[in-house]
Amino acid sequence: MSEIDRREFLKIVGVGAGAAAAAGCYRYSELPEKLIPYVIQDEEIIPGLPVIYASTCQECSAGCGVHVRTRESRPIKLEGNPQHPINRGSLCARGQAGIGRTYHPDRYVGPLQRGSDGAFAKTTWDDAQHTVAARIAAAQGKVAVLGAPTGPALSRLIDAWLAAVGGGSRVVYEPFAREALREATSAVFGVASEPIFDLEGCDLVIDFGADSVGGSGRSPVEHARQLMAARDVAKEEGRASRLVYVGPRLDETASVADEWLPAKPGSEGVLALAVARVAFETRSKGAPGSEASLQGVLAGFSPESAAERTGVSADAIRRLGRAVAAAKKAVALPPGVALTSRRAVATNAAVLVLDVVAGAVGTSLHIPPATETRVASFRDAVKLIDAMKSGDVKVLLVHGGANPVHTLPPDSGFTAALEKVGTVVSFASLPDETSERAHFVLPDHTPLESWGDAAPRPGVRSLVQPTIRPLFDTQALGDSLLGIARAMGDGVAGSLPAGSFRGVVESAWSGTSLRAALERGGEFGEGSYASPSLSASLARIEWREPQLEGEGEFVLLPVPSPLLGDGSGAHLPWLQETPDPITKITWQSWAEISERAAASLGVRPGDVLKVETPFGSLEVPVWPRGGIRDDVIAVAIGQGHTVGRYAAVQTPDGSSAPRGVNVISVLPSLTDEAGGRAWLAAKARVRAAGRFERLPFTQETDDKRGRMLGEAISLVALAEGGPSPWAPNQAAAVVDHGTPITGAAAAATPLGEVAPGEHAGEGDKHHEPEILRAYDAVADSLPTDPFRWGMTIDVDRCTGCSACVVACSIENNVPIVGETQVKRARIMSWLRIERYVGTGEPTLQPARPGPQNHEELGKTDVRNSPMLCQHCGAAPCEPVCPVLATYHSPSGLNGMIYNRCIGTRYCSNNCPYKVRRFNWYDYQIETWPQPQPLMLNPDVTVRAQGVMEKCTFCIQRIQAGRLLAKTEGNATPADGAVKTACQQTCPTGAIHFGNLKDEKSEVREAAAQGAGRAYHALHDLNTRPAITYLARVRREGEDHSA
Amino acid sequence: MTPPPAEPVAALIRPPPVARDSQVNRDLLRVMDGVSVGYFGVLALALGFMFAAGGVWIYQVYKGLGIAGYAHPIFWGSYIVTFVFWVGIAHAGTLISAILYLFRAKWRNAINRSAEAMTVFAVLTAAQFLGIHVGRIWKSYFILPYPNQRALWVNFKSPLLWDTFAITTYATISIVFFYVGLIPDLAIARDRSTGWRRALYTVLSLGWEGTSRQWKSHNRTVLHLSGLATPLVLSVHSVVSWDFAMSIVPTWHATIFAPYFVAGAIFSGFAMVLTMMIPVRRIYGLEHIITDYHFENMSRFLLLTSLIVGYAYCAEYFIAWYSGVEAEQTSFWSRAFGPYWISTWVMISCNAIFPQILWFKKARTHVPTLFVLSVLINIGMWFERYVIIIGGLSREYDPAVWGTYTPQWTELIIVAGSFGFFCQFFLMFLKVFPVVAIAEVKEIEIHARAHGEGH
Amino acid sequence: MPQLLGVFTEPAHVAAAVHRLRGRGFTDLETFSPAPFAEIDDAMLPKPSGVRGWTLVGGLTGVVTGYALTLWMANNWQIMLGGKPFSSIPPYTIIAFELTILFGGLMTFFGLLVVGRLPSFRSHKGYSARFSAEDFGLVVRCRERDVAEIDGLLREHHATEVSLVEA
């Protein structure tokens, strides 16, 4: 459908430049149909050099700033805006993948109107707008606008528009809206706003199921960065810092935590209050003058009773309480979506109380002044549905990618209510379940094509600007609304701003230098925060655990998918194909239950479970884990779409079947005390369905068998100092730095005969290989060459968020192969994150292979080890290639020459790290439907059928950096000037890249700082990798197997 | 002394008497003439498989290797398995012709011709798989060190390149050896054939007349070729084994590989010779030429090589345990008890256990037993390579990406096709060339007769 | 000149006849035998065959080519591979070995053609199919007046028949 022919493409390239500057205010159909030849050089564009625009990420509500990297005025990559206070240059996986929305092959290419035959038919903007205008006029105020949160400018416009067209209701609908937290804040502090948590420099962070560093967190990039900075083991205070996680499931945050308390789901509040009480008693510290009210609240929560109710041992509670009291800067984070129960307000309030006791208010917890709540509560959505049912809504406008049909529970009756609405207008730019039921589709621009703004928090205003001329005949939502208004006549349009939505945004920014703001990405100032004291309403809160519907034996825990979010990410193939950080499953839904539960149900991984709640039932393959409570079954939210090339399963006959399951379909539409949506609301009866489904997972076992991969070291051992127990690099000093590459004669003796640590000092020829066992920058590149590129990866900082994986795929044109190929272990990602649990046991394998999980309840010894090409000095892959298609570059890189490769695949067999990928099919043709080829990185070859490929350390970026340095008259690029895609986006700065020959380079510094825990993957193979890993640090925290 | 009275020379001229043909010639040449329906049936079957495989292969080139069962990290599959299998088969011929020739083991005469033929055909079959296996066959000429403007040569450090050289050399030498031995017999055939056959044999026999000069240089040539081929035959499978031994894959990186593979090759080669010759002998009634004595000698070889292979199996496990390298131990354990345990136990029983019955003369001389056993050994040896290659790759150093591999129908068709390819060559050979080295058999017969006449 | 053809059934007889004839000064001889018999060949050609020389030359060419090729190509454009030296003799030895065999074998074959005067498509007058059966033939080219004597000699050495193939 959305085919772009070559001429079209050239047109975009030609006009693009102008478009980027002037986009947003015109219509595709009104464009001059002529090519502007490149002989008229646009001064903004030098072919081959990227032009970068600052904008704002629209994938979730965190509001991270992005730099849109465009080439010949086509966005090819999103990168974090280093100046932006929220993400400081990093992006999460979802942000990285966001670019794919613009080039999505399913996009609506123009306005559609449902014909009498019930099928969509093309129409023109004028016709569409006039018809819709007429319907709205006829509706006489029975108009409703339902949409996701938008930037303030657009939000104000919508309100003004609604007023202008004769009134109507507006529901800002966000599935993961955190109404409970807002309510709790107003209950505890009397300020109705969502607090902002600042983990900077915290020495104690207690996360009550917020999964704050996980993809589903409130502001994952920011919190991950702050947390890992606070835990930097290079610093004394960093070593003292602790992260404690409370939650039923070993999720991303739990995996990096020092202590994990698997409390009963729903009992977090009780736990928080008990901890608060201990802390309070240990050291009476709290908001001034609040002792009395606090005592009143905390009285009923002795550690023992709490232990009874939460399943966490009283000792643990006491210890935690004392830790809170002792902490210099502690903070407790209220629950995330998964644990938002019918008592969510109480739970959140309890956690806030703990924050008060911990003295976090004002230091690590900031409360913005109460604003008019932009996000409506779930109760309003329900009200709207009732109105629709009763026919009080004649025209419904759905915008901002809101997809209530998919994200509202069936028993809310939205789908049925939608039938009752005479005119449903969808502004979706991608087809989804809701837009497919609309009568009109007036496709919106994608964020990369639109103007807009965002105000994620006080003092931070961020701009969205178009970076490409709209690919299709779409129109910005704002312009559509204005168009409709004008179509309704001057009476209506008069009260609205004239001109285009771009003008609206500009006027919203009047009083600031828009130009400067556009360059910066927005206005980043310090916000002013309220410093409230405890409110009296605290006393009115009823502290009880929630009642769960149904009498199944399992608590149904709907966890937001770290990659797909509320399901909007399911349309992006990169997010679908990136393995889940915990289970490494792609493209599918799975149910997590404990291994004990699985055993009692008699199911193995992949056996299908039938999950029944009073509100429905679904069948989903099981993934037993050690890291989840026995009474919990967790299913990720986000899959189960029935519309979309990637979101749904395309059957050969052209129809589409649901991909995975939509867990929302078995959830009730219940609310918490204050009318917020309750997710943790149902119990499930679970039994084996007697079917098996092979899950598309990419890692079968998390047992590293004691091999030198994903290492960890105890804080004690590290504090003692001394060299790393894995003895990397030791002999580097011994090596005569004059040794030419050939000096490493047969240094690549596989399975190095010399035991680690034993680095013969004598330099006679015979022992040279042994000396060179250790990695040496000089010997692994040409002595005459100024570079030996290398990397340092801090396993202790890696949260497994997989942003690097997506960034790598998009930067390097890595093809998406789809579910069936992933099942056949043909995923093409150059960079994978291996997740190991514990040191592993070299246990002997059973005859029946299958996924193995070695997690244990209450244990958090998880090592996320990013695995990519190690660019070995003595690379086993190089000597075995008969045609020299892979070789060692003068700068020490392990080069891969695609058009010399004949595909013997010997190199991969001989690669101990198994980082090489092979083009089994012609992915150029098979996996880049139009217009996706437009987003290919022109600096990176798209690999042909039958050749090997692998990580190149982003050679194109290295080359660009070297050339830039040359043009600036420097011999070599400054340290840090060249960043690999994975390093650039890593929220926690776990990856350092640079020139190993430069003693003072960041990469050497990082390795030196972590010398005590440095190791090389599979060191005893003597491949002399260019990547130095820094082991995870196990901080002492006792186990709390509930 | 006076010379006898001079007779007119003309008086001496008599009509030359009719040449009396020899029994051997008749028996052995009879194999070539006339084709039965059965023959055509088998040939059609072989060709059928061959062309089916060709079709699948073309589809594979068009579509990509993805249609095969490869799964990361198992990047070598049944194609390489079958390649090694056929290279192994190719060893019996040269061994019998060259080594046994040097050892003056006269009993080889009855079987060396067919064995050599098999060698040639097996090498040709094996060579196919190098092309079938690579990802971009249309670029596979890159592997030759041909002069080019980029002055870009090939990597002589790569075992695959050694392989290329070894296989081409082996193919060439085998063909030369085969042909040289064939020349005198072609002359025999020439003298007894008409029509196109006569034309063909006249050309191929190079006008051989068995003059002393021809025989003398022929003997020399055979001797020297044997001298060259003996180290060659030992080297070829060593080189093939180094494709694996030179890598760092656990269970591959072992010094025992060369002898282990050579023994295995001879083992499978002899088995294949038996598999082919037993039916041939039966169908064409050559019992008095290829006697049970020959089969018994070959089964002795089988027993010997089976013991060597069996020893290698044990040695591998011992070293894995003794080396204390966890990766090796894990990999070997999973070989025996992991996902590929069936293949492993098929291999062990077929190659190391069943052949032990050859300790008994009854078994060695009972032809049906030998036939069944030889087929079993062929199967076992295919699985040996399967286990080594797939098993090794499926359990490497990085446990996170351990994989499993299942052959797809496409591969199996191509593998089956290789047998068709081989068989159709052999069937044609039966009808075009003498299946037994007639001259050499004759040599023995005449000697025997001479002694029989009491000289 | 006339040629006499004696037909024998035993290689030994042929050899004896050859020796005798040579002794009597008849050197223009030719034999046909259905199988290789050293006694005949040695009686006819006492000198060792020249094939060995060809093999030697071929082998030497092979080994030299092998090392030269590999070493030159590896150093013509030096490419770093897994930290190994550019000129690594052990792997190149394998190439050298294979080429030794290849060239040696081919040269040996050419040696056979040259030394054995093959191919020769002018069939010898005396040759007939019986000699590719089980008979041996000995052809003597001599002057008219020696015919009778040679006839006698041949019969004396158990020639089953003697005939004049050319007057």
Side-chain angles (χ1 to χ4, degrees), chain A residues 368-588:
Chain A
T371 49
E372 92 285 0
T373 55
R374 272 195 279 107
V375 179
S377 83
F378 185 68
R379 189 172 286 158
D380 303 340
V382 176
K383 280 210 205 80
L384 174 67
I385 296 170
D386 296 339
M388 288 159 65
K389 283 182 185 146
S390 60
D392 292 343
V393 176
K394 295 257 178 293
V395 180
L396 176 69
L397 293 83
V398 185
H399 71 81
N403 184 7
V405 172
H406 184 259
T407 54
L408 280 175
D411 71 347
S412 70
F414 180 83
T415 315
L418 205 57
E419 307 296 328
K420 296 246 173 40
V421 179
T423 309
V424 178
V425 183
S426 168
F427 295 94
S429 68
L430 273 179
D432 59 32
E433 289 76 4
T434 310
S435 70
E436 289 298 291
R437 287 173 166 78
H439 303 95
F440 291 87
V441 177
L442 308 182
D444 192 357
H445 289 334
T446 60
L448 290 182
E449 296 167 334
S450 355
W451 285 95
D453 60 354
R457 70 184 47 171
V460 179
R461 295 174 71 204
S462 189
L463 265 164
V464 182
Q465 66 172 314
T467 57
I468 181 177
R469 193 267 251 146
L471 287 176
F472 303 111
D473 189 5
T474 58
Q475 185 173 259
L477 171 60
D479 287 314
S480 304
L481 293 177
L482 291 169
I484 292 170
R486 287 177 194 128
M488 293 172 75
D490 300 342
V492 175
S495 59
L496 292 172
S500 72
F501 177 63
R502 177 188 185 182
V504 176
V505 175
E506 281 167 349
S507 56
W509 283 70
S510 57
T512 67
S513 151
L514 185 62
R515 177 94 198 151
L518 281 173
E519 283 171 7
R520 211 182 309 110
E523 278 192 326
F524 313 133
E526 277 310 310
S528 60
Y529 295 102
S531 52
S533 58
L534 283 185
S535 129
S537 57
L538 181 58
R540 287 201 296 280
I541 299 179
E542 193 183 359
W543 311 100
R544 278 200 288 104
E545 290 94 331
Q547 277 305 323
L548 298 181
E549 299 300 312
E551 62 293 322
E553 60 281 15
F554 286 93
V555 175
L556 177 56
L557 190 75
V559 288
S561 156
L563 294 165
L564 308 183
D566 59 8
S568 56
H571 291 276
L572 297 170
W574 299 273
L575 296 179
Q576 286 277 16
E577 189 145 310
T578 302
D580 174 77
I582 302 296
T583 59
K584 303 297 173 189
I585 297 172
T586 65
W587 289 102
Q588 267 302 340

Side-chain angles (χ1 to χ4, degrees), chain B residues 192-212:
Chain B
R192 281 156 191 74
S193 57
T194 56
W196 66 269
R197 281 179 175 273
R198 188 177 186 87
L200 175 71
Y201 296 139
T202 314
V203 174
L204 287 183
S205 64
L206 306 173
W208 179 272
E209 290 178 341
T211 67
S212 51

Side-chain angles (χ1 to χ4, degrees), chain B residues 214-421:
Chain B
Q214 290 170 342
W215 276 122
K216 199 173 174 94
S217 40
H218 188 267
N219 280 343
R220 263 294 151 192
T221 312
V222 173
L223 180 66
H224 288 186
L225 283 178
S226 312
L228 290 169
T230 303
L232 177 64
V233 70
L234 297 180
S235 82
V236 170
H237 222 60
S238 304
V239 169
V240 171
S241 79
W242 292 335
D243 287 349
F244 308 100
M246 290 293 156
S247 81
I248 69 173
V249 178
T251 73
W252 283 13
H253 181 67
T255 45
I256 194 176
F257 258 43
Y260 168 20
F261 268 51
V262 170
I266 296 166
F267 187 49
S268 60
F270 270 85
M272 187 54 99
V273 172
L274 279 177
T275 320
M276 302 301 274
M277 289 320 288
I278 288 174
V280 168
R281 171 180 103 145
R282 180 97 169 67
I283 293 162
Y284 297 103
L286 301 176
E287 282 81 358
H288 61 288
I289 308 257
I290 309 171
T291 63
D292 293 358
Y293 163 73
H294 296 108
F295 286 164
E296 189 180 353
N297 280 341
M298 294 179 65
S299 37
R300 286 206 174 92
F301 255 92
L302 282 181
L303 184 55
L304 172 68
T305 42
S306 157
L307 288 173
I308 300 177
V309 170
Y311 163 78
Y313 294 164
C314 307
E316 280 188 314
Y317 278 87
F318 170 76
I319 295 298
W321 164 76
Y322 184 69
S323 67
V325 179
E326 184 268 326
E328 289 272 335
Q329 293 168 345
T330 306
S331 195
F332 271 109
W333 172 271
S334 102
R335 175 188 285 191
F337 307 108
Y340 300 105
W341 64 274
I342 298 180
S343 324
T344 308
W345 291 104
V346 168
M347 156 187 113
I348 291 175
S349 35
C350 286
N351 300 347
I353 298 175
F354 298 160
Q356 300 312 318
I357 61 166
L358 294 177
W359 286 106
F360 306 101
K361 189 174 177 67
K362 261 196 164 36
R364 291 202 300 271
T365 48
H366 186 250
V367 177
T369 316
L370 284 183
F371 183 72
V372 174
L373 185 64
S374 68
V375 173
L376 284 176
I377 291 173
N378 286 323
I379 296 172
M381 286 308 289
W382 192 87
F383 273 102
E384 176 188 304
R385 280 66 176 245
Y386 186 84
V387 165
I388 291 174
I389 294 172
I390 313 298
L393 290 174
S394 68
R395 291 283 181 273
E396 277 199 62
Y397 293 103
D398 189 345
V401 287
W402 281 355
T404 45
Y405 160 95
T406 338
Q408 300 294 301
W409 60 272
T410 44
E411 298 168 88
L412 298 181
I413 288 180
I414 290 184
V415 169
S418 75
F419 284 85
F421 187 76

Side-chain angles (χ1 to χ4, degrees), chain A residues 859-935:
Chain A
K859 290 215 173 73
T860 64
D861 187 6
V862 174
R863 303 98 185 268
N864 292 309
S865 158
M867 180 54 76
L868 59 158
C869 178
Q870 305 283 310
H871 292 270
C872 313
C877 56
E878 287 164 5
V880 298
C881 175
V883 294
L884 298 164
T886 185
Y887 77 115
H888 211 65
S889 89
S891 311
L893 290 173
N894 174 245
M896 178 74 219
I897 306 162
Y898 305 126
N899 48 10
R900 176 70 174 174
C901 176
I902 61 174
T904 68
R905 307 191 289 290
Y906 199 167
C907 50
S908 173
N909 287 354
N910 218 28
C911 171
Y913 308 99
K914 290 284 166 276
V915 291
R916 286 172 164 269
R917 303 295 190 181
F918 189 73
N919 286 267
W920 300 109
Y921 296 105
D922 193 344
Y923 294 120
Q924 297 181 50
I925 294 170
E926 306 218 344
T927 66
W928 297 101
Q930 294 292 355
Q932 270 182 6
L934 296 185
M935 69 176 282

Side-chain angles (χ1 to χ4, degrees), chain A residues 764-1029:
Chain A
D764 62 290
K765 272 270 163 285
H766 178 67
H767 284 93
E768 199 165 32
E770 295 180 14
I771 294 170
L772 287 167
R773 278 185 54 77
Y775 147 74
D776 169 50
V778 174
D780 293 339
S781 63
L782 270 194
T784 55
D785 193 277
F787 304 102
R788 164 47 163 151
W789 298 106
M791 211 176 245
T792 305
I793 297 180
D794 189 343
V795 174
D796 191 44
R797 277 170 176 260
C798 181
T799 66
C801 72
S802 301
C804 50
V805 178
V806 180
C808 173
S809 300
I810 290 175
E811 168 74 17
N812 293 299
N813 305 336
V814 174
I816 300 297
V817 295
E819 180 180 357
T820 48
Q821 290 299 308
V822 171
K823 280 181 185 165
R824 296 179 65 178
R826 287 169 180 181
I827 191 168
M828 295 296 284
S829 58
W830 288 1
L831 164 59
R832 63 172 182 267
I833 296 181
E834 297 178 348
R835 184 173 187 271
Y836 293 112
V837 176
T839 50
E841 290 303 320
T843 49
L844 297 170
Q845 289 298 300
R848 205 163 147 214
Q852 295 164 37
N853 181 291
H854 296 80
E855 298 162 344
E856 284 175 61
L857 205 64
K859 290 215 173 73
T860 64
D861 187 6
V862 174
R863 303 98 185 268
N864 292 309
S865 158
M867 180 54 76
L868 59 158
C869 178
Q870 305 283 310
H871 292 270
C872 313
C877 56
E878 287 164 5
V880 298
C881 175
V883 294
L884 298 164
T886 185
Y887 77 115
H888 211 65
S889 89
S891 311
L893 290 173
N894 174 245
M896 178 74 219
I897 306 162
Y898 305 126
N899 48 10
R900 176 70 174 174
C901 176
I902 61 174
T904 68
R905 307 191 289 290
Y906 199 167
C907 50
S908 173
N909 287 354
N910 218 28
C911 171
Y913 308 99
K914 290 284 166 276
V915 291
R916 286 172 164 269
R917 303 295 190 181
F918 189 73
N919 286 267
W920 300 109
Y921 296 105
D922 193 344
Y923 294 120
Q924 297 181 50
I925 294 170
E926 306 218 344
T927 66
W928 297 101
Q930 294 292 355
Q932 270 182 6
L934 296 185
M935 69 176 282
L936 291 174
N937 182 350
D939 293 336
V940 179
T941 320
V942 179
R943 280 74 62 185
Q945 165 189 334
V947 306
M948 192 63 72
E949 65 182 67
K950 65 163 190 71
C951 161
T952 64
F953 268 175
C954 285
I955 182 73
Q956 68 279 9
R957 288 170 173 239
I958 295 176
Q959 247 0 51
R962 291 180 73 163
L963 292 174
L964 197 64
K966 250 198 203 114
T967 51
E968 289 162 354
N970 310 328
T972 65
D975 182 42
V978 176
K979 280 187 174 339
T980 63
C982 49
Q983 168 197 22
Q984 193 283 330
T985 200
C986 180
T988 63
I991 303 177
H992 302 274
F993 177 79
N995 179 6
L996 295 173
K997 278 186 180 173
D998 173 359
E999 298 290 339
K1000 292 171 298 303
S1001 65
E1002 171 198 348
V1003 60
R1004 287 286 286 266
E1005 287 301 324
Q1009 277 193 347
R1013 53 194 183 102
Y1015 68 96
H1016 288 156
L1018 300 172
H1019 182 219
D1020 53 358
L1021 291 183
N1022 188 24
T1023 53
R1024 309 215 306 276
I1027 300 183
T1028 305
Y1029 288 90

